[in-house]
Amino acid sequence: MTLRTLLAGRVLVDAQGTLLGPSRISIGTDGRIVTVEPVPAELLSPEEAGRLIMPALSNAHDHGRGLRTLAFGAPDQSLESWLPDLRRHPRVDPWLNAVVALGRIALSGVAAVNHCHNTQDGRALLAEAEAVSRAARDVGIRVGFGWPFFDRNPQVYGDLARLAAFYPEEQRAGILASADGMRDCATNFSWFEQAKALEHDYFTLQYHPVAPQWTKPETLEAIARASAADGRRVHTHMLETELQRDWSRANCPGGVVSWLDSLGLLNEQLTVAHAIWLDDRDIALLAERGVIVSVNLSSNLRLRSGMPQIGRLLDADVRVAFGLDGMALDDDEDMLRELRLAWHVGARETKWGMGRDPGKILKGVFDWGRQSILGAASTPAHTVAAGQDADLLILRFGVLAADCVMPDPDPVRLVLGRARAEHVECLLIRGRPVVQGGQCTGIDLRALEARLVEEARDAFARSPASERDIAQAKSAIGRYYCCE
């Protein structure tokens, strides 16, 4: 067997913070770790001695936005007023959009991502899924593809007739007809069956009812039955904004969490994204059912949604993972920065602000996030140990610790306190270097980014969105919610 060998001065083995000193890691041709063994420090070069090897990260909720929202004029604002601005997104090659997004995500040490797909053209969903499948293989990153089920409330959470009343009379019929073109449940399941042919080692399908307010009850029940039968995971948005909470209270008996439970969806196969507006009963039920909650702090700040209850979720033993949602705070897809934000926000609620066990943050980005993407294919704990997949992140720890005066600084505190994508030396997925020296190995990301921008600018110029229609939609939606 031909082995790939890695040498490092430090190894962070698992979320519990188990640390090893100078070590040699051998990886087999099957992409699994064969051995992890100590070596004398003097055998390591200065570069090797300055490495920290750890489990690769996961991004538990994203949308694959190669073209960032600010780039096409969708400024940060409340979610409900932001959605009409997404109409400005120019039509681009879906492979190009996905490969750029996945490449950027990989650069910050992410080996697996939940991609909740937003279609550019709902009629072309199969073709767009094929493009993302290809992009996942080209980058070499593991993708859980959320197949969107969206068949309810296309413009607002509620009655389209009430919304239409805020439009000029000649436009009201078009508003009322906007629900007619939505993909029905039967069509979606039929296309989902066809899309299974697109699956490979780096691309698997999940059921993605976009959100309870955007999915019919009978569709949610059908997804629950399908997941129970085939073991596929389910991924949905839930309680992202106060308006969604208000809709839940008015439309879901006992609240949306209990309602999803009654439909058979609340179980270990489910991931819910955001989940900001929870009460104590909701949190207890999520914990009891083993649901994974993807916290998306940057996105929640940028879209004015509220602050996730990280401390309460962790204290209740909810399975908390972390996602970028395509909306990182610095618009840079840096998962290491996102962890720092989560760490500090979670620390607010503790005595003296000292923070909880950092292992709970690592658990989310090593284990729960990975499980939300890979499902049954993942092990209970993602560790640097013999027999595990060699999905490994190598950081330049010597750079991170360059100014430390202690002889043996705490790697966990430094990673959470200051690590950024620029500190990534290498990302290995199944033992293959996917990122090396700040570059993706399988694609020319810089060239693809330039090509995407050029294509988007051309499409934007050729077919600009109607600014009048967007302004009118935002005005009508604002009046609709203010008058509810």
Side-chain angles (χ1 to χ4, degrees):
M1 177 186 291
T2 302
L3 300 179
R4 177 182 179 85
T5 301
L6 304 174
L7 292 168
R10 292 170 177 81
V11 177
L12 174 59
V13 174
D14 52 33
Q16 285 67 47
T18 306
L19 289 168
L20 303 178
S23 300
R24 177 191 292 117
I25 299 174
S26 298
I27 302 169
T29 54
D30 61 354
R32 294 183 180 274
I33 297 172
V34 177
T35 59
V36 180
E37 54 189 352
V39 296
E42 56 268 22
L43 291 185
L44 274 60
S45 70
E47 179 185 10
E48 292 164 345
R51 290 174 177 163
L52 169 67
I53 296 180
M54 58 194 285
L57 311 181
S58 56
N59 177 357
H61 181 72
D62 212 283
H63 291 279
R65 295 190 179 105
L67 190 65
R68 299 175 174 119
T69 55
L70 291 175
F72 59 84
D76 299 346
Q77 60 196 293
S78 297
L79 175 74
E80 286 80 11
S81 65
W82 176 76
L83 292 174
D85 281 334
L86 298 185
R87 300 179 190 180
R88 295 192 184 95
H89 194 306
R91 189 69 59 85
V92 295
D93 177 351
W95 172 84
L96 186 57
N97 201 36
V99 79
V100 167
L102 296 178
R104 288 173 178 159
I105 289 168
L107 286 180
S108 71
V110 172
V113 57
N114 260 319
H115 172 100
C116 299
H117 191 68
N118 295 128
T119 56
Q120 295 184 76
D121 179 353
R123 299 164 298 180
L125 177 54
L126 273 167
E128 291 183 13
E130 186 280 329
V132 180
S133 172
R134 216 170 352 118
R137 196 194 302 272
D138 292 339
V139 176
I141 189 173
R142 302 175 188 260
V143 172
F145 183 92
W147 188 272
F149 287 75
F150 178 30
D151 55 12
R152 183 187 197 190
N153 293 337
Q155 300 202 45
V156 289
Y157 316 140
D159 185 9
L160 282 176
R162 286 183 56 82
L163 176 67
F166 297 112
Y167 278 85
E169 185 172 354
E170 65 272 15
Q171 296 181 36
R172 292 173 186 172
I175 300 301
L176 293 173
S178 61
D180 297 342
M182 305 179 81
R183 260 188 331 277
D184 62 40
C185 184
T187 299
N188 237 341
F189 272 106
S190 174
W191 288 9
F192 188 94
E193 285 299 313
Q194 296 176 60
K196 289 179 181 178
L198 304 175
E199 293 186 305
H200 52 76
D201 287 346
Y202 296 93
F203 182 87
T204 55
L205 298 176
Q206 297 188 0
Y207 300 110
H208 176 41
V210 176
Q213 71 274 3
W214 288 319
T215 315
K216 291 179 179 178
E218 55 268 32
T219 301
L220 292 170
E221 290 179 312
I223 290 170
R225 291 192 298 270
S227 174
D230 64 18
R232 290 182 183 273
R233 293 196 61 84
V234 180
H235 191 109
T236 190
H237 299 74
M238 187 183 77
L239 294 177
E240 183 174 356
T241 68
E242 286 183 273
L243 287 171
Q244 292 177 12
R245 179 200 61 186
D246 294 344
W247 176 90
S248 163
R249 289 174 174 173
N251 292 274
C252 303
V256 70
V257 177
S258 294
W259 183 63
L260 292 178
D261 192 36
S262 72
L263 297 179
L265 278 167
L266 221 63
N267 53 53
E268 293 185 356
Q269 293 291 93
L270 177 66
T271 300
V272 297
H274 303 295
I276 297 172
W277 298 95
L278 302 167
D279 59 29
D280 290 340
R281 184 182 60 173
D282 295 332
I283 291 173
L285 190 53
L286 290 170
E288 180 182 343
R289 296 290 188 263
V291 175
I292 294 174
V293 174
S294 175
V295 168
N296 312 287
L297 259 166
S298 288
S299 173
N300 301 153
L301 288 168
R302 291 181 60 181
L303 297 180
R304 325 303 194 230
S305 300
M307 293 296 286
Q309 303 172 61
I310 297 176
R312 291 175 65 203
L313 291 167
L314 292 176
D315 288 345
D317 291 327
V318 173
R319 299 175 175 185
V320 175
F322 303 98
L324 291 172
D325 198 24
M327 296 287 288
L329 193 60
D330 294 325
D331 221 14
D332 59 0
E333 291 83 36
D334 193 332
M335 195 68 206
L336 288 161
R337 285 183 189 266
E338 189 73 13
L339 291 185
R340 180 153 47 262
L341 190 59
W343 167 245
H344 287 308
V345 169
R348 291 182 311 124
E349 306 160 26
T350 59
K351 186 175 181 181
W352 303 109
M354 293 297 291
R356 289 169 174 78
D357 175 5
K360 291 194 173 184
I361 301 295
L362 296 180
K363 180 79 174 171
V365 78
F366 291 169
D367 301 341
W368 296 134
R370 187 178 177 86
Q371 183 174 312
S372 78
I373 299 156
L374 302 184
S378 66
T379 54
H382 178 35
T383 65
V384 184
Q388 289 268 344
D389 283 342
D391 288 7
L392 302 174
L393 173 58
I394 304 176
L395 294 180
R396 297 186 181 93
F397 187 76
V399 177
L400 273 178
D403 61 345
C404 291
V405 298
M406 308 86 72
D408 192 19
D410 182 353
V412 172
R413 300 289 176 167
L414 282 180
V415 168
L416 290 177
R418 55 168 61 167
R420 303 185 298 277
E422 66 194 65
H423 296 118
V424 172
E425 177 183 328
C426 184
L427 171 68
L428 291 95
I429 301 178
R430 296 187 173 175
R432 170 194 166 198
V434 171
V435 172
Q436 187 80 55
Q439 303 293 327
C440 293
T441 61
I443 59 171
D444 185 342
L445 181 58
R446 289 184 180 178
L448 291 171
E449 286 178 316
R451 179 176 145 196
L452 175 61
V453 170
E454 181 181 4
E455 184 174 311
R457 284 175 175 164
D458 180 63
F460 195 85
R462 283 187 291 103
S463 183
S466 169
E467 293 299 324
R468 176 179 174 275
D469 289 349
I470 291 172
Q472 196 167 57
K474 294 179 74 167
S475 174
I477 289 168
R479 294 170 68 192
Y480 172 92
Y481 286 123
C482 287
C483 294
E484 278 286 291

